[in-house]
Amino acid sequence: MKTAVKQRAGVCGMICCLGVALALGAALSACAEEGVKQRPRSGSGQGAHEEPEDVFNPGPGGTSGPPPVDAGGLCGNQVHQVAIAEAPNIYFVLDASGSMLSAASSSATRYDRVREAAVDLVRNLGPLINVGAAVFPLDATPEAPCRPGGEVFPVTPGDPFSDRLERRPTASGFRSATRVVPLGGTPTAATLTALTPRLVELPGKTIVVLATDGGPNCDSSAKCGAEECIANIEQQCPEENCCAPLGPSGPGGCLDRDDTVGAIARLAASGIEVYVVGIPGSEFYGDVLDEMALAGGAAQFVRPFYFKVDDLDTLGNVLSRIASVVVSCEFDLVDPPPEDGQTNVYLDAELVPYDPENGWRWRSPAVVELLGDACQKLKSGRVGQVQIVSGCPTEVAR
């Protein structure tokens, strides 16, 4: 049940308060919730009090959110510092092979759509994540189409919470760094092998999001029959086996199944989960993408084990589901409230009651955690601002 904060100037004017305004937007969906029940800290809110003539009401029809910082005579108008708890590293590895130039709409290629979905995620998550990116191949040419991929954007903290209209250097830098023209083959194994030393050195939790529209190839030492030759699999081969040593595709056109699965398994053994996302164009390779997903330690529970995207309009939701596994709904209060039972939380100026199921709770005397519906709302991108305000009695769900 939604509650309202009722503040009488004569009662609250002398109370010391803390507030934080955090602006954020996201496209994230699910939230793991902990079912630990916890009694609220002392203070049960003012819901049972008779409403005074001069009130501050954040509910519909009244002034939204806690009082402004210059609201003399009202409690809840001083700011304290907040730190984001345990921001994970989300590292994108994006397929930039020639097939990613295929049109995905009248004005965008497959690569354009994948890149924009990744940029949206980075912009919306802000300081909740650190983000990095690599593309594969990197600097390919018609003469050298199988050059391994490489990092184009080093792992960087997300942009601080701020007004949505302000420039965001991390999101802007990520967008610029991933602006490449797709060309060449799909050297997935070589790319992941080259990136592994750098990824395992990153502090904290790291996940890799590998997005591709086809099967891995580019192993010049491979040998395969027609059943493992990409040109034959895609029915684009005029010969019995286009990957024969003297065939038009050559050994580099063989499906590089074992080496790619091995490279992913080594990352997973180092504690780095690999989320495999297959976009339109990858339908021929569901079996190898399933193997890659299982090796990466982040497979779905049923087939397809990889994250299959049939419609690029849904890619943003898929990335949100992946990110929600590692993004935290906890906020560290650098200078926690000096008094118990005097804190309230707002999402977009709407009061979130203290509720260990669908509201918020104290994880420790200095950590606020959103739970259930409140956490899901935060991660799904339906929140533009978070405010944690101390100084008025805590409103508890009824």
Side-chain angles (χ1 to χ4, degrees):
M1 177 177 178
K2 184 176 178 181
T3 60
V5 177
K6 302 178 178 67
Q7 303 173 343
R8 187 193 303 269
V11 175
C12 297
M14 301 302 295
I15 298 178
C16 176
C17 312
L18 304 172
V20 60
L22 311 177
L24 59 92
L28 307 172
S29 57
C31 173
E33 80 179 67
E34 296 184 30
V36 180
K37 300 289 184 180
Q38 177 177 333
R39 291 180 63 83
R41 304 170 87 185
S42 59
S44 59
Q46 302 178 6
H49 293 185
E50 182 179 351
E51 184 172 344
E53 293 181 8
D54 182 14
V55 299
F56 169 73
N57 186 349
T63 305
S64 295
V69 296
D70 59 350
L74 293 176
C75 58
N77 61 354
Q78 295 182 5
V79 177
H80 71 85
Q81 296 180 349
V82 171
I84 304 303
E86 299 179 358
N89 307 310
I90 298 183
Y91 197 93
F92 290 93
V93 179
L94 305 179
D95 184 347
S97 61
S99 59
M100 292 291 283
L101 273 177
S102 299
S105 67
S106 60
S107 60
T109 66
R110 290 175 182 169
Y111 184 78
D112 292 333
R113 296 295 302 277
V114 173
R115 172 172 165 262
E116 286 305 312
V119 170
D120 286 345
L121 190 72
V122 173
R123 180 174 54 246
N124 292 332
L125 288 177
L128 298 177
I129 64 167
N130 306 309
V131 62
V135 300
F136 65 102
L138 183 62
D139 299 326
T141 66
E143 297 74 29
C146 281
R147 288 178 173 167
E151 184 174 276
V152 294
F153 191 73
V155 173
T156 305
D159 295 312
F161 289 129
S162 62
D163 189 281
R164 290 185 179 185
L165 300 179
E166 291 182 2
R167 178 176 175 82
R168 295 178 174 176
T170 297
S172 177
F174 182 92
R175 178 193 292 273
S176 178
T178 54
R179 184 180 291 115
V180 300
V181 178
L183 177 68
T186 313
T188 315
T191 299
L192 294 175
T193 299
L195 291 171
T196 295
R198 182 168 181 80
L199 291 174
V200 298
E201 292 177 354
L202 293 171
K205 174 69 175 178
T206 299
I207 67 168
V208 167
V209 179
L210 171 65
T212 184
D213 74 337
N217 58 17
C218 282
D219 182 356
S220 60
S221 65
K223 295 180 181 179
C224 67
E227 70 282 356
E228 289 283 289
C229 178
I230 286 179
N232 289 83
I233 292 171
E234 296 184 1
Q235 301 177 352
Q236 297 177 349
C237 179
E239 302 183 13
E240 183 177 343
N241 181 7
C242 276
C243 293
L246 298 180
S249 296
C254 290
L255 190 60
D256 193 20
R257 182 191 302 263
D258 292 343
D259 284 353
T260 301
V261 170
I264 291 175
R266 287 189 290 275
L267 273 171
S270 300
I272 299 173
E273 295 175 335
V274 179
Y275 291 78
V276 179
V277 179
I279 69 166
S282 64
E283 300 84 7
F284 295 104
Y285 308 100
D287 59 340
V288 69
L289 294 179
D290 273 345
E291 290 182 37
M292 291 162 60
L294 290 168
Q300 301 195 95
F301 293 114
V302 296
R303 291 184 184 273
F305 297 119
Y306 71 100
F307 289 82
K308 185 180 180 183
V309 177
D310 295 316
D311 182 350
L312 283 169
D313 287 340
T314 69
L315 179 57
N317 291 334
V318 171
L319 296 183
S320 295
R321 286 172 53 201
I322 292 171
S324 69
V325 175
V326 292
V327 171
S328 174
C329 278
E330 295 182 5
F331 296 89
D332 294 333
L333 307 188
V334 177
D335 48 348
E339 184 179 358
D340 288 354
Q342 295 292 314
T343 299
N344 287 292
V345 176
Y346 297 83
L347 299 183
D348 285 336
E350 180 178 345
L351 181 70
V352 178
Y354 184 98
D355 180 357
E357 291 187 355
N358 292 307
W360 68 276
R361 68 171 180 177
W362 291 103
R363 281 299 300 270
S364 75
V367 178
V368 167
E369 179 186 23
L370 301 179
L371 298 128
D373 293 343
C375 181
Q376 182 174 350
K377 184 176 182 180
L378 176 75
K379 290 187 172 187
S380 68
R382 291 180 289 136
V383 175
Q385 186 179 58
V386 175
Q387 296 173 294
I388 302 173
V389 180
S390 291
C392 293
T394 301
E395 292 290 335
V396 181
R398 306 195 239 299

